């Protein structure tokens, strides 16, 4: 298609710099032991000729591709419409770039494509995988294990125990939910409802558990299932107003859900927070500041989670290739704290 | 990191199915010549053991990874904030998935990372590349050529001639711009201003040329440079109102720019379209419908451009691996037509 220009060879670089092939190879692969004036001549020849080292050959030596796969277990439309993923990817991208590793985002149309993702992962194109937004029974974790790739998960995978060594980064979803509900009770509310997230994800289950920890024995009708989207929040809020018109507070499983709930409350003439107090989860900006009224919410450090996932994976890869294991012990999962951010809605 | 389960081998599949290694290999690689009952037994064993063919070995035979790199020559923050890219990726994703090819999106923090992208492309991880949003002097096209990869570009690359065989998919930016300006003149406007896009991109240059084709000899003060963002549109509109308070129409280089311009016009008490008529470019929904007033704009089929880019690349790859070249001749670039969509703003 595009006309192919002959690729400059290692030999051409050696000739240009007036050194041996071995010297060029050492400089290109970052070994020590080449004196600086010589190394500088090689670097200059590399630059002038536009030499690109043969990565396939190089990675046979280093066993590294300097590339990390990122898989969001959602259709690409969702990846681009929910700002949560953009923010997590931002953290991952910053961290990988700082370590000169390429971020390889594997997009799919849906779960049916996960087997194909598994084949790519098994094909020797990346050093490890960062995976988030897993749903129950997703085949991805097993595909990644079979590919023999190290992985870090964003959010606790739902693996019913029995599999050791899984590393994940998560927020304290259950504790954050408890804080939200306690805050509502502290405002004197007693009929507190909960719109859940997608209950095939552990983050939604954990937030529901946190709600139940505080609202022991609450009317089951006060819990309605959502799906982490604004449309789901609207639908659930309508259902709640139908069945529990006397509710005086809502804890929504994320800010998008809360934004949908706020719209429906306004439609029904309910004043927020006077009639119904609302708390979200995420502190997703600018959404949480631009709702009417601005949203009280449970903040989690989404970008920080992304950075941490990348850092844990890179550390694990360094450990594998460092003979003296000085880099540290086996990484373990991290649960990050959340904080309640007060705005006008509760 | 995650505990590694031993990967089932070709031998294990052969033992399970009670056939030779060669038979398993033929079935797995899709060769003919294995009788159906036997082939079915192999497929069942593959399924039961969860065997994943060694892609590295397989691709030595087929020379295909069934993976296509997509590179947006913008920082990842821009990729996730400008809906243009999400829409183009949607088209690409649908087409690649329909052909069971993996979409490999290579994200970067900026142009400084393009050399790393070049190394990944040269490393034998993908069969070809789809590249869009190139800026002038970007090293990517050359890196892709050096990697020996076929590529299709979204938007005409600015390669000052001399390089043959470049395939791209573009909209008729110049013709669309002419339609926009002629429409404004047809409404009886005479002081028509233009807020350009980022002038280091050919799409912006072509739209400016289309504006000049119609507004021959226009006051140079009526052209102000923008950058395809809403903030850029606001800044440019303020500058235009300062220097040319008598303007009665604005052609903005895209819908985001127009949305910014509309906000500033409202701030300054100018009625749209009564005092100032405004036309955008893209027909980016829901933006173009949600501006106040809804936007008259030049529609381009962004998702369709993405699909077409993917289709041209896959066709080129098929041609290379089809002995009789029956798939068709060398692909050539395609310029898609645009259409003016009338709403309230002009």
């Amino acid at each position: 298609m595009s006309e192919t220009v002959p690729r400059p060879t290692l030999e051409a670089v050696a000739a240009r710099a007036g050194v041996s092939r071995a010297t060029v190879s050492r400089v290109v692969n970052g070994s020590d032991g080449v004196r600086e004036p010589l190394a500088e001549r090689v670097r200059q020849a590399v630059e002038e000729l536009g030499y690109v080292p043969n990565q396939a050959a190089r990675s046979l030596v280093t066993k590294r591709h300097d590339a990390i796969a990122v898989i969001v277990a959602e259709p690409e439309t969702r990846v681009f419409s929910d700002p949560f993923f953009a923010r997590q990817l931002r953290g991952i991208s910053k961290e990988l770039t700082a370590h000169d590793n390429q971020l390889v985002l594997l997009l799919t149309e849906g779960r049916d494509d996960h087997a194909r993702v598994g084949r790519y992962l098994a094909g020797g194109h990346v050093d490890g995988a960062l995976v988030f937004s897993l749903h129950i029974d997703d085949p991805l974790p097993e595909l990644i294990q079979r590919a023999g790739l190290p992985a870090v998960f964003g959010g606790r995978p739902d693996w019913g125990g029995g599999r050791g060594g899984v590393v994940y980064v998560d927020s304290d979803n259950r504790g954050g939910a408890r804080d939200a509900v306690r805050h509502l009770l502290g405002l004197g509310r007693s009929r507190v409802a909960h719109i859940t997230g997608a209950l095939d994800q552990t983050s939604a289950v954990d937030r529901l558990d946190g709600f139940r920890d505080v609202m022991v024995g609450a009317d089951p009708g006060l819990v309605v299932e959502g799906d982490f989207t604004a449309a789901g929040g609207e639908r659930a809020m309508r259902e709640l107003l139908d069945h529990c018109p006397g509710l005086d507070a809502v804890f929504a499983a994320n800010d998008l859900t809360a934004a949908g709930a706020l719209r429906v409350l306004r439609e029904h003439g309910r004043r927020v927070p006077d009639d119904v107090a609302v708390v979200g989860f995420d502190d997703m900006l600018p959404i949480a500041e631009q709702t009417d009224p601005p949203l009280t919410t449970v903040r989690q450090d989404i970008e920080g989670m992304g950075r941490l996932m990348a850092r844990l994976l890179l550390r694990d890869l360094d450990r594998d290739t460092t003979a003296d294991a000085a880099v540290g012990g086996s990484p373990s999962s991290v649960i990050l704290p959340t904080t309640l951010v007060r705005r006008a809605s509760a």
Side-chain angles (χ1 to χ4, degrees), chain A:
Chain A
M1 181 153 303
S2 51
E3 197 183 326
T4 306
V5 167
R7 221 165 123 176
T9 58
L10 192 72
E11 286 75 13
V13 175
R16 179 87 156 215
V19 301
S20 70
R21 286 180 83 259
T23 300
V24 174
S25 177
R26 275 202 294 275
V27 172
V28 165
N29 291 308
S31 319
D32 295 333
V34 178
R35 279 175 304 116
E36 194 40 49
L38 224 55
E40 179 52 34
R41 250 159 63 200
V42 171
R43 280 192 295 267
Q44 207 175 327
V46 163
E47 177 72 21
E48 284 165 13
L49 295 174
Y51 172 71
V52 180
N54 183 331
Q55 289 293 309
R58 185 165 163 256
S59 59
L60 279 178
V61 179
T62 65
K63 295 195 175 131
R64 283 283 277 275
H65 306 286
D66 296 327
I68 301 293
V70 175
I71 306 132
V72 185
E74 305 278 357
E76 60 83 22
T77 46
R78 179 90 201 282
V79 175
F80 279 90
S81 64
D82 187 334
F84 186 92
F85 303 119
R87 189 153 327 165
Q88 204 153 20
L89 278 165
R90 185 164 313 163
I92 292 171
S93 175
K94 280 183 185 164
E95 192 68 22
L96 291 183
T97 297
H99 292 86
D100 205 20
N101 269 252
Q102 182 56 46
L103 195 170
V104 174
L105 181 60
L106 302 178
L107 289 177
T108 69
E109 294 282 301
R111 189 189 283 208
D112 290 349
D113 304 321
H114 287 182
R116 191 182 63 232
V117 168
R119 288 200 300 275
Y120 195 76
L121 294 175
H125 304 303
V126 293
D127 302 317
L130 299 171
V131 186
F132 48 96
S133 206
L134 276 180
H135 296 255
I136 198 167
D137 290 336
D138 194 298
L140 267 175
E142 199 173 328
L143 292 167
I144 292 167
Q145 262 196 330
R146 275 208 206 127
L149 280 184
V152 173
F153 294 86
R156 178 170 52 82
D158 178 44
W159 283 5
R163 298 206 207 186
V166 175
V167 176
Y168 61 87
V169 174
D170 206 352
S171 285
D172 182 7
N173 289 305
R174 189 163 181 163
R178 282 197 293 248
D179 289 347
V181 181
R182 283 194 197 113
H183 173 69
L184 290 166
L185 295 179
L187 297 173
R189 308 300 162 117
S190 57
R191 304 274 296 160
V192 181
H194 178 41
I195 304 177
T196 75
L199 288 173
D200 63 343
Q201 300 196 277
T202 56
S203 56
V205 172
D206 291 353
R207 289 171 204 176
L208 174 58
D209 284 345
F211 171 84
R212 286 185 173 145
D213 288 344
V214 182
M215 299 294 291
V216 179
D219 175 358
L222 283 167
V223 175
V224 171
E225 190 168 346
D227 58 5
F228 286 133
T229 70
E234 290 185 9
R235 189 185 38 67
M237 193 68 237
R238 277 185 229 288
E239 196 177 321
L240 279 171
L241 288 174
D242 267 5
H243 292 101
C244 313
L247 63 85
D248 58 13
V250 176
F251 165 49
N254 72 349
D255 292 350
L256 284 174
T257 301
L262 286 172
R263 275 199 289 273
V264 170
L265 287 166
R266 195 164 48 244
E267 255 177 48
H268 285 71
R270 305 291 178 107
R271 291 166 307 161
V272 175
D274 307 56
D275 301 328
V276 181
V278 176
V279 177
F281 203 109
D282 279 347
D283 195 30
M284 181 63 68
L285 300 182
I287 296 166
E289 286 178 342
Q290 288 178 354
T291 53
D292 179 19
L295 194 62
T296 294
T297 188
V298 178
R299 176 167 204 274
Q300 58 173 338
D301 182 2
I302 302 167
E303 186 174 324
M305 288 172 71
R307 287 195 86 124
L308 190 53
M309 286 171 69
R311 206 173 301 152
L312 288 175
L313 184 59
L314 291 174
R315 198 189 294 168
D316 190 51
L317 292 168
D318 282 344
R319 199 173 47 91
D320 281 353
T321 54
T322 305
D324 61 1
V327 185
S330 193
S332 56
S333 298
V334 179
I335 313 285
L336 295 168
T338 60
T339 46
L340 191 78
V341 177
R342 288 206 59 180
R343 295 196 182 89
S345 71

